[in-house]
C-alpha cells in the first residue's frame, strides 16, 4: 500500500490548489456552504455514495470496496476560526475568518484519500466512510454528524476510525500515542451578583468587581492545591466583564474561562471544586455566584492497539524517523473524541511548519502558517490506514 505515496505525490498540485482555495475563503461554525460545495465538486465522479447533513453542512461519503467486508471511518474537520489573518500569505483570507487550525489541510487531505481509495477500489474488501465535518471549533459538529447517522452510513458500524491534525513542528513528522492524546474541554462562566452604586461610595454598594478579581487568582491557586500534577487541569480565564461606565459600580461582574482536563474523573471533580470556590469567594464579599459549565468535549482517548498499529503502519509507509510516539498529551481539545468514544481508533498529529515558521505562532494564532507540501502525505497516510485496516480485518 506504500503505492499510495507516489500516487498522492502526483495528486499534490490539485490538493494544494484545493487547500489554498479553502484557505482563501474560510467559513466558521456548522454552516459552511461554500466549503461543502468545494468538497462535493472534488468528490464528484469518484463513485461514492454521498449524503449531506441536515443540521450542518456536513458531507458523508461512503466508498464501497469491490468485495464485502467491515467498515473503516476517516474524518476531516472543515471549519475555520473568527480571526483576522496576519500571515501575509498570497492566498491569505481577508474576510475576518481564518483557517488558523489547519482544517483546510485536513479537508484537502481527506479529498486526496478519497481519490486514492477510489482508485484502489478493486483491492478493497469492505467500506470506507469519509466524514467531512463542520463545527469542530466549539460547535460539536461531530456529535451533530453522529446524531444524523455517520457511524451507520455504510450499513455496518465502523471497526476502526482515524483522523489527523496538523500542528507546528518539522514538516512531515507524524505522532500519536496510546490512551489520552488530547484534553477534555468545558466552557466556564461565573457571574457574581452584588449591589451596584456610585463609584465614589463603595461602602453603600456590594462591589462584585473586587470579588471577581479575587476569584480569578483563587481559581489558579485552587488548581494547584486540589488537583494532582499527574492528572493535570488547566483553567484559563479569558473573559472579564463588569461596568460599562467608569464611575458606576455594577450589579454584576462575570468571567469566562476555558477548562481542560485529561481524565473524566478530573472533569467531574473540577466542576464541584469551582462551584464551591466561587460560592465561597462571592460570599466572603457579600455577593452571590452563578456558575455554569457548557460546551464540553470529552477527553480524546486513542485505543492502545489502534495507536500502536497506526504508528507501525506510518513508520513502514514513511520511514521510522517520520513516525513518532507523542511524549505527552496536548491540552488542546478535539471533538473526534466523540467518534473515539464509540469506535476504537487513533488520532494522529502531523507536524507541518514551513522551515521559516515562527515557533511562537501555534494553532489559533493569526500568524500561524502550515506547509501544504504535507497534504499529499496526509492523503496517503489516511488512505493507507483505511486500506491496511480492511486488509487486516480480512486476515
Ligand atoms: Zn483544529
Amino acid at each position: 500500500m506504500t503505492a499510495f505515496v507516489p500516487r498522492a505525490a502526483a495528486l499534490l498540485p490539485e490538493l494544494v490548489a484545493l487547500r489554498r482555495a479553502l484557505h482563501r475563503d474560510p467559513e466558521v461554525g456548522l454552516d459552511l456552504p461554500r466549503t461543502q460545495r468545494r468538497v462535493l465538486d472534488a468528490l464528484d465522479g469518484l463513485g461514492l455514495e454521498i449524503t449531506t447533513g441536515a443540521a450542518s453542512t456536513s458531507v458523508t461519503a461512503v466508498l464501497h470496496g469491490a468485495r464485502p467486508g467491515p467498515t473503516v471511518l476517516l474524518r476531516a474537520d472543515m471549519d475555520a476560526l473568527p480571526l483576522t489573518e496576519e500571515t501575509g500569505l498570497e492566498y491569505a483570507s481577508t474576510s475576518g475568518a481564518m483557517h488558523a487550525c489547519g482544517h483546510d489541510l485536513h479537508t484537502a487531505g481527506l479529498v486526496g484519500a478519497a481519490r486514492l481509495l477510489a482508485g484502489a477500489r478493486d483491492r478493497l474488501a469492505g467500506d470506507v466512510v469519509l466524514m467531512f465535518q463542520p463545527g469542530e471549533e466549539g460547535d460539536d459538529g461531530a456529535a451533530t454528524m453522529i446524531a444524523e447517522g455517520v457511524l451507520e452510513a455504510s450499513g455496518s458500524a465502523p471497526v476502526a476510525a482515524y483522523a489527523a491534525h496538523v500542528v507546528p513542528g518539522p514538516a512531515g513528522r507524524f505522532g500519536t500515542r496510546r490512551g489520552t492524546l488530547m484534553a477534555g474541554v468545558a466552557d466556564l462562566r461565573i457571574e457574581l451578583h452584588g449591589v451596584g452604586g456610585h463609584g465614589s461610595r463603595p461602602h453603600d454598594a456590594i462591589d462584585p468587581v473586587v470579588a471577581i478579581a479575587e476569584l480569578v487568582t483563587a481559581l489558579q491557586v485552587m488548581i494547584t492545591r486540589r488537583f494532582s500534577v499527574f492528572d493535570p487541569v488547566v483553567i484559563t480565564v479569558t473573559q472579564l466583564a463588569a461596568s460599562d461606565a467608569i464611575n458606576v459600580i455594577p450589579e454584576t461582574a462575570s468571567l469566562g474561562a476555558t477548562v481542560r482536563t485529561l481524565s473524566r474523573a478530573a472533569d467531574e471533580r473540577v466542576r464541584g471544586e469551582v462551584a464551591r470556590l466561587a460560592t465561597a469567594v462571592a460570599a466572603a464579599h457579600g455577593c452571590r455566584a452563578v456558575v455554569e459549565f457548557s460546551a464540553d468535549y470529552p477527553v480524546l482517548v486513542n485505543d492502545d492497539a489502534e495507536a500502536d498499529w497506526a504508528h507501525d503502519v506510518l513508520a513502514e509507509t514513511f520511514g521510522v524517523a517520520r513516525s513518532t510516539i507523542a511524549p505527552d498529551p496536548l491540552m488542546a481539545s478535539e471533538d473526534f473524541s466523540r467518534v473515539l468514544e464509540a469506535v476504537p481508533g487513533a488520532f494522529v498529529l502531523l507536524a507541518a511548519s514551513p522551515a521559516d515558521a515562527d515557533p511562537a505562532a501555534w494553532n489559533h494564532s493569526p500568524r500561524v502558517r502550515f506547509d501544504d507540501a504535507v497534504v499529499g502525505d496526509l492523503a496517503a497516510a489516511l488512505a493507507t490506514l483505511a486500506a491496511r485496516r480492511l486488509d487486516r480485518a480480512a486476515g
Side-chain angles (χ1 to χ4, degrees):
M1 287 294 172
T2 44
F4 283 141
V5 176
R7 290 175 51 214
L11 288 178
L12 187 60
E14 69 179 89
L15 298 181
V16 166
L18 172 60
R19 182 267 167 155
R20 294 186 182 190
L22 294 167
H23 192 90
R24 205 189 289 274
D25 188 19
E27 296 175 286
V28 174
L30 291 166
D31 188 31
L32 321 173
R34 299 187 303 279
T35 304
Q36 184 190 48
R37 183 74 263 155
R38 285 195 169 92
V39 168
L40 291 171
D41 288 348
L43 298 178
D44 193 37
L46 296 182
L48 308 174
E49 196 179 289
I50 291 182
T51 50
T52 54
S56 78
T57 51
S58 64
V59 175
T60 301
V62 183
L63 185 146
H64 294 288
R67 284 163 290 132
T71 297
V72 172
L73 182 143
L74 300 175
R75 175 273 209 170
D77 43 12
M78 306 192 286
D79 56 319
L81 286 152
L83 203 65
T84 299
E85 180 158 357
E86 296 174 17
T87 60
L89 289 166
E90 175 263 318
Y91 52 89
S93 156
T94 55
S95 68
M98 175 184 174
H99 270 295
C101 203
H103 300 184
D104 48 342
L105 285 88
H106 307 164
T107 304
L110 190 57
V111 164
R115 290 189 169 277
L116 295 171
L117 290 165
R121 188 192 309 267
D122 290 352
R123 307 208 309 266
L124 299 179
D127 301 327
V128 182
V129 173
L130 305 153
M131 173 181 178
F132 290 90
Q133 181 209 308
E136 191 284 321
E137 300 285 1
D139 291 298
D140 218 341
T144 302
M145 289 189 75
I146 290 170
E148 290 183 357
V150 70
L151 300 182
E152 296 90 43
S154 71
S156 71
V159 293
Y162 308 100
H165 203 299
V166 293
V167 288
R173 200 174 292 179
F174 294 91
T176 190
R177 78 197 299 274
R178 291 175 161 215
T180 301
L181 180 64
M182 295 183 77
V185 60
D187 291 349
L188 166 63
R189 290 187 199 289
I190 302 177
E191 214 169 64
L192 297 190
H193 294 259
V195 176
H198 198 287
S200 68
R201 299 179 63 81
H203 57 285
D204 288 336
I206 294 177
D207 183 0
V209 178
V210 288
I212 207 133
E214 194 170 308
L215 186 56
V216 172
T217 45
L219 285 167
Q220 302 308 313
V221 175
M222 180 273 285
I223 292 304
T224 70
R225 302 300 87 182
R226 301 297 302 150
F227 289 89
S228 164
V229 292
F230 299 108
D231 188 9
V233 177
V234 168
I235 294 187
T236 299
V237 176
T238 49
Q239 297 178 323
L240 281 171
S243 180
D244 291 328
I246 206 163
N247 56 359
V248 172
I249 294 172
E251 293 276 321
T252 64
S254 63
L255 67 77
T258 185
V259 181
R260 310 286 169 141
T261 52
L262 289 185
S263 71
R264 275 287 192 204
D267 175 71
E268 277 164 29
R269 204 155 70 75
V270 77
R271 293 160 190 260
E273 294 286 349
V274 165
R276 191 178 60 78
L277 184 74
T279 303
V281 170
H285 293 271
C287 294
R288 183 172 60 83
V290 177
V291 178
E292 188 189 300
F293 281 90
S294 62
D296 50 333
Y297 288 175
V299 178
L300 184 143
V301 183
N302 280 339
D303 179 84
D304 287 352
E306 291 293 345
D308 283 348
W309 179 81
H311 169 61
D312 290 346
V313 168
L314 294 171
E316 244 176 75
T317 309
F318 298 102
V320 286
R322 287 182 57 192
S323 182
T324 64
I325 300 289
D328 303 305
L330 296 174
M331 292 311 283
S333 306
E334 241 297 337
D335 68 356
F336 188 61
S337 57
R338 300 262 184 230
V339 174
L340 292 182
E341 282 190 329
V343 181
F347 196 58
V348 175
L349 306 173
L350 171 57
S353 291
D356 62 343
D358 169 5
W362 219 75
N363 294 47
H364 295 202
S365 161
R367 288 172 299 283
V368 72
R369 287 181 290 131
F370 293 111
D371 186 350
D372 47 29
V374 304
V375 168
D377 284 350
L378 173 56
L382 292 170
T384 303
L385 288 170
R388 291 277 300 269
R389 189 63 182 79
L390 291 181
D391 283 352
R392 193 179 115 202

